[in-house]
Amino acid sequence: MIRLATVFSGIGSIEQALRRLGLEHRIVFACDNGERELKVELDIDKFREHIFSLPTKVEKKKAVDLLYSKYNRQTHFVKETYCANYEIDENDYHLDVRFLDGSDYLHEVDLLVGGSPCQSFSTVGFKRGLDDTRGTLFYEFARIVNETRPKVFIFENVRGLTTHDHGDTWRKMQEVFTQDLGYRISEPQVLNASNYGIPQTRRRLFVIGIRGDINANNFEYPTSVPLKYTMQDFLEDNCAFGDFSFDNMDGSPVIVPSKGSPDKKFYLTDKVRDYVLSSGTKNFKTSTKTDLPIARTILKTMTQHHRAGVDNYITVSEVPKVLRSLTDREALRLMGYPDDFKIVVSSRQIFRQAGNSIVVDVMMAIVNSILKTNALD
């Protein structure tokens, strides 16, 4: 059984990947604040010290939950989606990575997955190791790695990470992963969803780390596979709700061609249609292509009706010209989530959650490559 933990957990791409692959696993903990910011000035280090001084993880969690109940009462939509789709003990879903004491889970985690915003660090001599990254969310990811000591971690980030801040950001991260944490890491590699079975152009960078004391084969990134489907195959027009699933043998998508009826709330008004089909202004031009075979990157801002050059629109009819946006279900499909994934929040929230997710099929390919190293045995 794979003991899984995630930070910046979102709606569970790695959880869904393990499920689709049929791999027995247990969620040890998850952590995501759902982009809800605390509306109070706080001395992070001082509050963390207070939290970590509490005797049990349950008391620590209660203290953090109380903080959020006082200073951010917004609904935690990400948690609602996550808990509707995965089994996790309430005491093991954490609201803020900054106040998560990973030492409570020492040696309980086999696989840790997460990412963090790309931030530059103090690079004065790179002498202080992990401390040089304090104040960034990368520091929190690295700290959790250090405190839980997983066998393997998967770190995901934007494709420009290695060139950010003239390469200093990645050099610092690399030093932390190898010298401070003691992990053998793969060279960062950008993987595109369209190379792993999903018709979407979505490029993200991945780094895999294997704990240095584990006797394992070297990790090799998965090779690409031919793309069998187009975006049109994923649409509810051509595959009705309930007919998008996965193969129980290898986890690959299974699409049953069938006539469906997308909700008309996703149809564009004439005014919005004319806007998104506009090529732009004198000083700014954009593509007006619609009905693409490979979707543009799914964005969390899909509900804002971007021009066709930065979003995905589908033609409902030519005369009169009627367009629609992707449905919430189609957005999830294009991120690798089958139709049995429960939608328990609004379409607006699902679009945000899909746009923030990692493509499940890319995660599946990475997991299969990790298994070949024997590091999780």
Side-chain angles (χ1 to χ4, degrees):
M1 175 183 286
I2 297 173
R3 299 174 297 174
L4 173 69
T6 59
V7 292
F8 313 103
S9 305
I11 58 175
S13 62
I14 184 63
E15 291 87 341
Q16 196 69 211
L18 296 178
R19 173 177 172 266
R20 283 179 54 186
L21 288 171
L23 296 173
E24 188 178 6
H25 63 282
R26 177 175 65 85
I27 300 173
V28 177
F29 68 80
C31 182
D32 198 309
N33 72 354
E35 298 185 327
R36 301 176 308 145
E37 300 300 326
L38 288 170
K39 299 174 182 177
V40 61
E41 291 187 11
L42 198 66
D43 184 326
I44 301 301
D45 287 336
K46 185 175 181 179
F47 188 73
R48 192 202 320 262
E49 183 179 353
H50 163 66
I51 293 294
F52 287 13
S53 70
L54 298 175
T56 69
K57 68 179 182 181
V58 172
E59 290 174 90
K60 295 172 187 176
K61 175 179 165 53
K62 284 182 178 178
V64 177
D65 289 354
L66 178 61
L67 184 71
Y68 269 82
S69 69
K70 290 177 63 176
Y71 298 112
N72 191 316
R73 296 186 179 182
Q74 292 173 305
T75 301
H76 196 332
F77 295 110
V78 171
K79 182 181 178 182
E80 287 191 1
T81 296
Y82 188 97
C83 291
N85 285 281
Y86 310 110
E87 292 185 10
I88 184 170
D89 189 306
E90 169 63 27
N91 289 321
D92 294 315
Y93 191 102
H94 300 276
L95 299 186
D96 199 318
V97 68
R98 297 171 299 176
F99 310 128
L100 170 59
D101 187 352
S103 63
D104 289 327
Y105 298 98
L106 178 63
H107 301 314
E108 293 183 21
V109 178
D110 297 317
L111 177 62
L112 176 70
V113 181
S116 65
C118 184
Q119 301 159 298
S120 57
F121 311 124
S122 166
T123 58
V124 182
F126 284 174
K127 294 178 180 178
R128 294 184 298 160
L130 186 58
D131 281 344
D132 273 337
T133 68
R134 288 181 72 87
T136 70
L137 289 177
F138 169 74
Y139 168 81
E140 305 300 348
F141 178 81
R143 177 181 62 81
I144 297 299
V145 171
N146 194 42
E147 291 172 354
T148 60
R149 305 305 294 169
K151 295 177 180 178
V152 179
F153 70 74
I154 301 174
F155 180 75
E156 176 265 354
N157 216 283
V158 297
R159 58 176 172 164
L161 172 66
T162 55
T163 57
H164 184 255
D165 200 18
H166 308 290
D168 287 341
T169 298
W170 168 244
R171 282 193 289 273
K172 183 70 225 173
M173 289 179 169
Q174 186 177 38
E175 175 188 293
V176 168
F177 283 144
T178 57
Q179 297 182 28
D180 297 327
L181 303 184
Y183 280 74
R184 304 199 317 272
I185 63 170
S186 62
E187 282 298 313
Q189 188 160 319
V190 174
L191 304 182
N192 190 345
S194 63
N195 290 328
Y196 298 95
I198 297 294
Q200 180 195 167
T201 299
R202 190 181 192 88
R203 300 179 179 91
R204 298 291 288 183
L205 178 141
F206 294 88
V207 179
I208 284 70
I210 299 175
R211 206 173 66 215
D213 64 325
I214 294 176
N215 183 19
N217 301 321
N218 291 329
F219 174 83
E220 295 183 6
Y221 284 97
T223 56
S224 60
V225 297
L227 187 60
K228 295 169 55 179
Y229 300 109
T230 66
M231 182 176 76
Q232 282 64 40
D233 295 316
F234 281 50
L235 300 180
E236 290 188 71
D237 310 74
N238 306 316
C239 176
F241 172 70
D243 287 337
F244 186 90
S245 60
F246 60 92
D247 189 291
N248 288 327
M249 295 298 292
D250 62 6
S252 60
V254 173
I255 298 175
V256 178
S258 54
K259 184 65 176 176
S261 300
D263 194 313
K264 289 188 177 181
K265 71 179 181 180
F266 298 105
Y267 285 29
L268 304 187
T269 64
D270 291 348
K271 184 177 181 180
V272 172
R273 176 204 63 203
D274 293 342
Y275 169 74
V276 301
L277 290 178
S278 169
S279 61
T281 64
K282 181 179 179 181
N283 297 320
F284 175 77
K285 298 295 182 181
T286 184
S287 169
T288 59
K289 291 183 179 179
T290 61
D291 306 284
L292 296 175
I294 298 178
R296 296 184 179 94
T297 303
I298 301 297
L299 302 173
K300 69 176 184 178
T301 55
M302 282 182 285
T303 57
Q304 296 179 11
H305 296 309
H306 291 287
R307 284 191 169 90
V310 289
D311 214 335
N312 297 287
Y313 293 103
I314 299 125
T315 300
V316 177
S317 70
E318 288 290 352
V319 183
K321 186 72 170 180
V322 178
L323 295 182
R324 69 171 179 86
S325 63
L326 292 171
T327 69
D328 46 9
R329 181 60 64 183
E330 290 164 349
L332 287 172
R333 288 176 174 182
L334 285 164
M335 297 303 296
Y337 293 86
D339 285 356
D340 61 0
F341 186 86
K342 299 181 182 69
I343 294 178
V344 296
V345 297
S346 69
S347 296
R348 181 181 181 85
Q349 293 300 327
I350 283 295
F351 284 137
R352 292 181 63 84
Q353 293 169 11
N356 280 332
S357 184
I358 304 171
V359 174
V360 174
D361 297 67
V362 175
M363 277 295 197
M364 290 167 58
I366 291 173
V367 168
N368 279 328
S369 291
I370 290 173
L371 293 177
K372 294 176 182 177
T373 69
N374 299 319
L376 291 175
D377 290 354

